């Protein structure tokens, strides 16, 4: 029987201190060459083991093999110049030094496929793999070639589709596209963002997810959140069209955010990954706190469509805290499972 309320993480988990600087976002690697490739796979093994110990049902690589969720992907493409970087405002919020698109984009080799095969060989559990979404990719680049956000996003969608098809062939069960930019550029999302996302999943048989959030707990993001008022209604702008899209699962930030939970009504019928663990503070959620978030979500999401998960960005947490938070997710989910089975 399929397990009720399968748990997962939104994305990154802490890396071992011999691979990257602890508690640091986007840390440079501490190893090089073949030591680095071996080190990444060893880290992936450790991360998988910790997820299993914590009772996570849908496991991932914990993003152990990437430094940054967008740039590590782009590093594998031709048409991008990493030497001559430009400073641009990303997510309409903060300046970042980003690579330049200087010619036609193409993916000459797979990006994460070998890593996904490696993870697949370690476990029979369902596995989820995260890729950057097309709109978020173009928002993390300077475009000196296509001169059109929409056209560039479409090119990325085609490239992501090539990668996604190979990840599916490698045995990935759920392919997730991370689209924090969906929470910022509503008109573009509705005009072409969701169309690009659907191009990225074209022809896939495995399950597909889109993760939409308010960004990692960096200062630019926490400052922005202060300006959003008491109710964060960004999801309201894009949910109606997402509800009609071909994406199977929508992954959201819920716990300790100010997202009114009733907005889930707008995506009724979709599977929903509900972020029930806060990553912006070190305090461990109690099982009862996790259960309370899930019970609220269950008012709008059918039990067989609810996937409890963490909010994204656990990478900079101390390791023991991240592990305890995963355990809290499992314990809180188990409370709700028992209630559902008793009724
Ligand atoms: Zn996120």
């Amino acid at each position: 029987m399929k397990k009720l309320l399968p748990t997962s993480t939104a994305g990154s988990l802490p890396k071992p201190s011999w691979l990257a600087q602890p508690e640091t976002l986007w840390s440079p690697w501490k190893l090089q060459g073949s030591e680095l490739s071996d080190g990444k796979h060893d880290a992936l093994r450790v991360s998988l083991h910790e997820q299993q110990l914590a009772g996570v049902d849908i496991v991932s690589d914990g993003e152990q093999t990437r430094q940054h969720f967008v740039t590590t992907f782009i590093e594998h493409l031709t048409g991008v110049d990493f030497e001559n970087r430009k400073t641009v405002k990303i997510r309409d919020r903060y300046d970042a030094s980003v690579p330049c698109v200087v010619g036609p984009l193409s993916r000459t080799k797979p990006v994460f496929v070998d890593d996904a095969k490696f993870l697949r060989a370690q476990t029979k559990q369902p596995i989820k793999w995260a890729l950057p979404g097309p709109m978020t990719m173009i928002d993390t680049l300077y475009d000196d070639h296509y001169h059109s956000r929409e056209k560039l996003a479409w090119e990325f969608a085609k490239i992501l589709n090539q990668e996604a098809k190979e990840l599916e062939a490698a045995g990935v069960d759920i392919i997730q596209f991370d689209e924090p930019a969906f929470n910022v550029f509503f008109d573009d999302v509705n005009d072409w963002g969701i169309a690009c996302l659907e191009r990225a999943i074209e022809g896939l048989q495995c399950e597909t997810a889109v993760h939409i959030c308010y960004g990692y707990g960096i200062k630019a993001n926490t400052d922005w959140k202060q300006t959003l008022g008491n109710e964060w209604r960004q999801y309201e702008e894009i949910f109606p069209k997402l509800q009609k899209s071909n994406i199977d699962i929508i992954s959201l930030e819920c716990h300790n955010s100010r997202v009114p939970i009733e907005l889930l009504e707008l995506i009724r019928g979709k599977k929903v990954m509900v972020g029930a663990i806060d990553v912006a503070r070190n305090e461990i959620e109690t099982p009862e706190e996790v259960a309370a978030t899930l019970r609220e979500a269950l008012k709008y999401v059918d039990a067989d469509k609810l996937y409890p998960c963490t909010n994204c960005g656990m990478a900079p947490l101390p390791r023991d805290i991240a592990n305890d938070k995963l355990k809290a997710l499992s314990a809180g989910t188990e409370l709700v499972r028992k209630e559902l089975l008793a009724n």
Side-chain angles (χ1 to χ4, degrees), residues 211 213 215-216 312:
H211 167 75
C213 70
Y216 279 16
C312 76

Side-chain angles (χ1 to χ4, degrees), residues 27-39:
S27 160
W29 301 113
K30 287 188 178 176
L31 305 174
Q32 287 171 356
S34 64
E35 287 190 344
L36 176 59
S37 17
D38 288 351

Side-chain angles (χ1 to χ4, degrees), residues 29-187:
W29 301 113
K30 287 188 178 176
L31 305 174
Q32 287 171 356
S34 64
E35 287 190 344
L36 176 59
S37 17
D38 288 351
K40 286 175 179 176
H41 279 180
D42 288 343
L44 197 156
R45 258 190 267 253
V46 173
S47 179
L48 171 65
H49 182 66
E50 288 180 337
Q51 292 172 69
Q52 290 172 329
L53 281 181
V56 173
D57 300 304
I58 301 166
V59 293
S60 76
D61 65 326
E63 302 191 3
Q64 302 295 303
T65 65
R66 69 196 89 173
Q67 189 195 357
H68 183 282
F69 79 111
V70 176
T71 49
T72 297
F73 191 91
I74 295 170
E75 276 167 21
H76 290 72
L77 309 180
T78 56
V80 186
D81 182 352
F82 271 81
E83 302 300 315
N84 300 305
R85 300 173 78 93
K86 287 250 194 315
T87 298
V88 298
K89 193 180 273 298
I90 71 170
R91 314 296 177 264
D92 207 21
R93 215 174 300 153
Y94 55 95
D95 287 338
S97 160
V98 298
C100 287
V101 179
V102 292
L105 289 168
S106 69
R107 170 184 167 276
T108 49
K109 54 182 187 297
V111 181
F112 295 122
V113 177
D114 283 345
D115 298 330
K117 284 180 185 163
F118 183 83
L119 175 62
R120 180 72 289 168
Q122 312 294 320
T123 177
K124 293 198 159 40
Q125 284 177 254
I127 63 179
K128 177 164 77 74
W129 204 275
L131 293 174
M135 181 178 277
T136 299
M137 288 182 93
I138 65 157
D139 197 49
T140 317
L141 277 172
Y142 179 82
D143 173 18
D144 206 9
H145 180 73
Y146 292 94
H147 305 293
S148 153
R149 283 165 67 84
E150 180 178 354
K151 196 153 188 285
L152 182 60
W154 191 257
E155 290 305 309
F156 275 125
K158 291 193 281 187
I159 287 169
L160 287 163
N161 185 249
Q162 296 165 3
E163 176 79 4
K165 282 181 171 158
E166 289 188 35
L167 288 172
E168 176 186 77
V172 172
D173 301 278
I174 301 173
I175 298 178
Q176 171 179 309
F177 294 88
D178 293 337
E179 284 284 28
F182 269 24
N183 248 351
V184 186
F185 308 106
F186 311 126
D187 291 343

